[in-house]
Amino acid sequence: MKLTKRLLLAAATATLLFSGTPAFADLKFGVDVSPYPPFTSKDASGVIVGWEADFMAALCEEIKEKCAFEATAWDGIIPALTSKKFDGIMSSMSVTPERMKTINYSHIYYNSAAVIIGNKSDDKDYSPEHLSGKTIGVQIATTHANYLAKYYAPKGAVIKTYAGQDEANADLTAGRVDYIMADGVTLGAYLDSEAGACCEQKGAVPIDVEILGPGVGIGIRKEDTALMDKINAGIDGLRDKGFFEANTEKWKLAGKLILPKDMK
Amino acid sequence: MFLVIAPLSELLTYGNTGYLDELIWGAVATIQISVFAYAFGISLGLLGAMGKLSAGPIIRTLLNFYTTVFRAVPELVLIMLLYYAGTDGLNRLMLSVGVGPIELNGIAVAIFVLGFVQGAYSTEVLRAAIQAVPLGQVEAAKAYGMSPITAFRRITLPAMLPYAIPGLGNLWLNITKDSALVSVVGALELANETRVAAGGTKYYLTFYLIAALFYWSISLLSNFGFSWLEHRVRRGQPKLA
Amino acid sequence: MNWSWIAYPEYIHLLAVGLLYTIILLFGSVIVGFILAVPLGLVQVTGPAYLRIPAKIFCSFIRGTPLLIQMWLLYYGLGSIFPSIPWIRTSFLWPVLREGFYYAMLSLSLSVAGYEGEIMRGAFLGVPRGELEAARAFGMSGWKVLSRVWFPRAVLQVLPTLAGEMISQLKSTPLAFTVTVMELMGARSKISSDTYIIYEPLILIAIIYMILTFIITRGFNYLERLIPQRR
């Protein structure tokens, strides 16, 4: 009797430890646990949906692998990749020289403008001098946070950082921050929602490619060169098939994203 | 438009349009994490307590270091350190032995991390409880010729339980609440699920209240459970003041 | 190990400010929490039902729910109500309601109040009835009995636990970074996200917390020796 109990307990523990994300997924991609619509967000049934979710599904079909998302906190997503919690990062992560010291990136699969949004009652000027003394919200560990630190903080703006983009958005709705800087497409989704009714887009910030990056790519460990080649081949394949345009049409983002065909 | 009394009937439906299944899954994950981490922590605590009481000076120093550091540093810092360093180190260990990298999901890592932190606290609780057992009983067991293991199983363990239960009960309550901390590293338990649900629907007050009610009910039930346990374990013993 | 980032003055400044915030949160919450704990404990011993029951429920809630959830409930929960109260942004309360720091301070103080309220209840119950009866026999009014006999005796019983409570609170302060407070954990978050170095900043603040714990423990040992042990 005792032996059976112990066996059962051991079996339960084993199934527990190795359950969770589908064990049959050969490739796991890390994604921000906070919602980032329209690219990745959890719908009410718990499945991650969005432009990027569809991209992952298509990519994995192209490279003939079984894939799954693994949610993790954004500010620890690169360490999580290097400690092998997953095989790649697919979370609208911009390619920057700083990040490339730690990880490699696949081919870029989209680019979009970084914008600042604020209350409708404020004027349209969003230059660093005008925003001096104002509070700007931003997600931590993003290129936008670095941009604000370089251009806006020295001119006297107060920067508040949040673990997730949706928390920053919530504080803009609540009025605790005056402006937010983030990717134009995700902020567009926020502005279209009920919570974003207070606010409007002030404009796109002047581009600084070194800080903001030339676009978004899949983060991969430096030593995984075979995987890198596979994924790049997959992205190129999808590009030639016109997948990106079709996907952008499906999610009604036509004109807001700069796609691989128009780059390089 | 008070976001407090949100359309609960719409939000809390099971399945594709409501968040009830995510919340239940998160609650189950929280309980899983708490139970297994608690068990892991108590096992470490037993080993640690016995080590501190009867092992050589090197082990005792190491254990002292373990309990001092893990009880002086905030759990959140320890969780982050162990979360990133833990799987990394574990995988390297596995590779050096020759086994491939094991895939532990977020919950398993949370269990390992929280259990390790709890181990330090339970070492101290169990050590104090073992030391509170009257020495005479232990000596009598030795005089009877019992082996150390038999003596421990039959004499020390039952005698120390009444002293240990209050402390262990506190540790259980602590671990159910600390399980919320692993949400900061992204593990999907109740605190995180409510954060995602709240973030998705903007009904922050509603979802956080639901989460709070869940944790509260766990603690109330646990209080009853531990009172009953303490009552049982104290059978035949003189009552406390 | 990569410690090169310590050389940057802006990171040292960030850590120093973080340390300051941590200390302010710690002392502020313990002081306010204790002040709140005394009536909470007292009212559970002698108060009328309409005070006793809410106090009991409050302590049970604070001790039964995670501090993280309490903090998020206060910050994001209250924050979600603001859009429906448009005049709140121009009211005098706004500078306080805007900043995460006050929410963290309030949440930590309520946490101390909940835990210490329970301890104060035990302490008030533990004062020997004989002393209270003697005080009343002397003709002291209820308030005098409280201020001259009951309260001092109860508080003196509780003081030795103050060190442990303070260390416990110190370990709760890192949660404030989840509501935008740049205390030590928030500082290390910024350093890690700027430099992509994860372990070393965490190790550094772990050491800082250990040093703070050591200082608090020694400080209280010293204070306890100062207080004459009158029995």
Side-chain angles (χ1 to χ4, degrees):
Chain A
M1 189 58 191
K2 255 197 168 152
L3 190 60
T4 336
K5 266 199 201 164
R6 289 201 190 146
L7 277 177
L8 279 176
L9 188 61
T13 321
T15 46
L16 164 67
L17 287 176
F18 298 101
S19 65
T21 40
F24 46 76
D26 300 325
L27 225 48
K28 285 205 275 204
F29 287 102
V31 70
D32 188 356
V33 69
S34 313
Y36 201 72
F39 296 106
T40 51
S41 60
K42 263 196 181 177
D43 70 357
S45 63
V47 173
I48 297 186
V49 298
W51 188 99
E52 233 163 1
D54 287 348
F55 168 53
M56 183 189 82
L59 178 70
C60 290
E61 204 186 301
E62 184 78 10
I63 62 176
K64 313 249 186 314
E65 292 271 7
K66 279 211 179 84
C67 308
F69 273 125
E70 174 100 10
T72 190
W74 176 250
D75 64 346
I77 203 167
I78 292 186
L81 176 69
T82 53
S83 56
K84 300 209 169 76
K85 289 203 174 31
F86 30 78
D87 309 301
I89 298 176
M90 191 189 295
S91 195
S92 297
M93 181 172 246
S94 300
V95 181
T96 65
E98 193 64 38
R99 287 173 178 164
M100 289 198 68
K101 291 182 191 163
T102 321
I103 59 175
N104 269 348
Y105 280 94
S106 71
H107 291 163
I108 293 175
Y109 57 90
Y110 82 82
N111 193 9
S112 61
V115 305
I116 291 189
I117 67 173
N119 291 297
K120 288 189 172 137
S121 49
D122 289 327
D123 61 27
K124 283 272 193 174
D125 187 350
Y126 60 93
S127 61
E129 293 77 24
H130 191 73
L131 261 46
S132 167
K134 302 280 184 176
T135 311
I136 312 180
V138 70
Q139 186 182 13
I140 199 167
T142 53
T143 52
H144 312 289
N146 293 339
Y147 191 92
L148 286 175
K150 183 168 174 187
Y151 293 102
Y152 283 78
K155 293 285 163 67
V158 177
I159 315 290
K160 264 196 185 173
T161 51
Y162 296 86
Q165 184 61 42
D166 60 318
E167 289 168 8
N169 297 346
D171 262 8
L172 181 64
T173 311
R176 290 198 183 108
V177 293
D178 303 309
Y179 298 89
I180 288 185
M181 177 179 167
D183 170 73
V185 180
T186 193
L187 285 183
Y190 162 70
L191 289 174
D192 288 337
S193 73
E194 197 189 324
C198 64
C199 307
E200 59 174 7
Q201 184 176 302
K202 299 301 180 191
V205 297
I207 301 184
D208 178 343
V209 183
E210 207 181 282
I211 293 197
L212 292 175
V216 147
I218 300 180
I220 301 176
R221 285 184 290 269
K222 286 206 180 233
E223 60 264 25
D224 289 347
T225 43
L227 180 62
M228 171 77 89
D229 293 332
K230 217 180 193 178
I231 289 187
N232 279 339
I235 295 181
D236 291 340
L238 288 176
R239 183 191 65 201
D240 296 329
K241 285 183 191 166
F243 164 78
F244 291 106
E245 286 74 14
N247 201 22
T248 310
E249 271 300 317
K250 174 184 169 191
W251 289 95
K252 303 193 183 36
L253 300 175
K256 299 189 190 158
L257 291 181
I258 304 168
L259 297 172
K261 264 216 168 83
D262 313 312
M263 288 194 258
K264 294 205 196 88
Chain B
M1 192 251 307
F2 253 76
L3 295 177
V4 181
I5 319 297
L8 283 172
S9 52
E10 290 167 26
L11 283 179
L12 288 186
T13 51
Y14 205 81
N16 282 359
T17 50
Y19 282 92
L20 189 60
D21 43 344
E22 277 78 39
L23 291 182
I24 291 184
W25 173 237
V28 167
T30 294
I31 297 183
Q32 267 181 342
I33 295 177
S34 305
V35 168
F36 283 96
Y38 188 60
F40 182 46
I42 302 241
S43 324
L44 282 181
L46 262 176
L47 290 172
M50 293 198 292
K52 270 199 171 183
L53 289 173
S54 45
I58 305 177
I59 300 195
R60 249 184 293 142
T61 318
L62 276 172
L63 284 171
N64 274 331
F65 181 74
Y66 168 54
T67 49
T68 314
V69 169
F70 275 65
R71 292 189 313 152
V73 177
E75 290 92 354
L76 192 56
V77 179
L78 289 170
I79 286 174
M80 282 205 176
L81 265 172
L82 287 175
Y83 184 78
Y84 295 123
T87 27
D88 205 3
L90 199 62
N91 278 328
R92 280 191 216 193
L93 206 71
M94 291 283 147
L95 278 171
S96 66
V97 171
V99 183
I102 26 171
E103 290 196 359
L104 293 179
N105 67 352
I107 297 190
V109 177
I111 291 174
F112 168 72
V113 167
L114 278 176
F116 221 79
V117 173
Q118 275 290 305
Y121 289 93
S122 40
T123 301
E124 287 305 303
V125 169
L126 291 170
R127 183 183 60 83
I130 292 179
Q131 280 183 315
V133 175
L135 201 53
Q137 298 191 12
V138 181
E139 284 180 349
K142 262 195 236 168
Y144 263 101
M146 285 191 190
S147 73
I149 299 185
T150 320
F152 183 79
R153 234 186 59 220
R154 288 221 189 141
I155 308 296
T156 316
L157 195 58
M160 107 177 153
L161 278 178
Y163 297 105
I165 299 268
L168 291 181
N170 263 341
L171 289 184
W172 165 251
L173 290 175
N174 282 345
I175 212 175
T176 53
K177 290 181 280 179
D178 282 350
S179 69
L181 293 179
V182 295
S183 69
V184 180
V185 291
L188 288 175
E189 40 66 67
L190 186 64
N192 221 344
E193 292 285 358
T194 44
R195 210 179 97 194
V196 167
T201 59
K202 306 299 172 227
Y203 291 120
Y204 287 93
L205 209 49
T206 312
F207 279 104
Y208 287 140
L209 273 174
I210 293 177
L213 282 174
F214 172 76
Y215 286 105
W216 198 6
S217 44
I218 293 193
S219 93
L220 289 175
L221 286 171
S222 308
N223 280 333
F224 279 127
F226 272 96
S227 306
W228 172 86
L229 193 62
E230 188 164 0
H231 223 71
R232 238 191 97 93
V233 147
R234 286 202 141 270
R235 284 173 308 166
Q237 297 217 7
K239 294 226 178 280
L240 285 171
Chain C
M1 286 239 158
N2 186 353
W3 295 98
S4 56
W5 48 275
I6 298 193
Y8 289 90
E10 68 243 39
Y11 293 146
I12 302 210
H13 175 77
L14 211 56
L15 285 168
V17 169
L19 182 60
L20 193 64
Y21 268 120
T22 297
I23 296 179
I24 295 178
L25 279 174
L26 174 62
F27 281 91
S29 61
V30 170
I31 293 174
V32 174
F34 252 93
I35 295 177
L36 286 175
V38 171
L40 271 177
L42 185 63
V43 121
Q44 283 185 68
V45 175
T46 64
Y50 65 85
L51 285 176
R52 182 169 30 104
I53 296 183
K56 233 187 166 75
I57 294 180
F58 174 77
C59 288
S60 171
F61 180 77
I62 297 287
R63 297 168 73 229
T65 55
L67 179 58
L68 193 61
I69 300 281
Q70 293 168 14
M71 229 182 251
W72 288 351
L73 195 56
L74 271 176
Y75 187 76
Y76 290 109
L78 278 186
S80 65
I81 302 184
F82 292 160
S84 34
I85 315 177
W87 49 263
I88 207 166
R89 296 186 201 192
T90 46
S91 75
F92 68 100
L93 279 175
W94 191 236
V96 167
L97 292 176
R98 266 192 100 141
E99 288 300 318
F101 175 77
Y102 299 104
Y103 293 86
M105 180 68 94
L106 178 65
S107 182
L108 288 167
S109 309
L110 290 180
S111 177
V112 174
Y115 284 94
E116 284 304 303
E118 194 57 29
I119 297 185
M120 284 309 291
R121 183 182 70 89
F124 277 121
L125 274 176
V127 173
R129 304 227 78 218
E131 299 195 9
L132 301 175
E133 284 176 356
R136 273 182 221 123
F138 262 103
M140 289 192 194
S141 71
W143 179 250
K144 274 218 174 91
V145 173
L146 178 64
S147 62
R148 290 204 188 168
V149 182
W150 210 357
F151 176 68
R153 294 285 273 130
V155 167
L156 276 173
Q157 253 186 315
V158 158
L159 280 182
T161 64
L162 194 48
E165 182 59 34
M166 206 163 228
I167 294 180
S168 192
Q169 273 305 103
L170 174 65
K171 292 193 292 173
S172 307
T173 56
L175 297 177
F177 100 100
T178 57
V179 291
T180 77
V181 180
M182 290 302 271
E183 40 71 65
L184 276 176
M185 199 64 170
R188 86 94 226 164
S189 202
K190 174 125 177 68
I191 296 177
S192 280
S193 60
D194 276 357
T195 61
Y196 295 103
I197 302 174
I198 23 148
Y199 298 124
E200 288 78 354
L202 274 172
I203 295 176
L204 180 66
I205 63 169
I207 295 177
I208 296 180
Y209 279 113
M210 283 199 280
I211 296 177
L212 283 173
T213 305
F214 182 73
I215 295 177
I216 293 177
T217 317
R218 277 304 156 98
F220 273 94
N221 282 346
Y222 179 70
L223 281 175
E224 268 170 35
R225 257 178 279 139
L226 282 185
I227 298 177
Q229 289 289 340
R230 316 160 25 215
R231 277 261 121 231

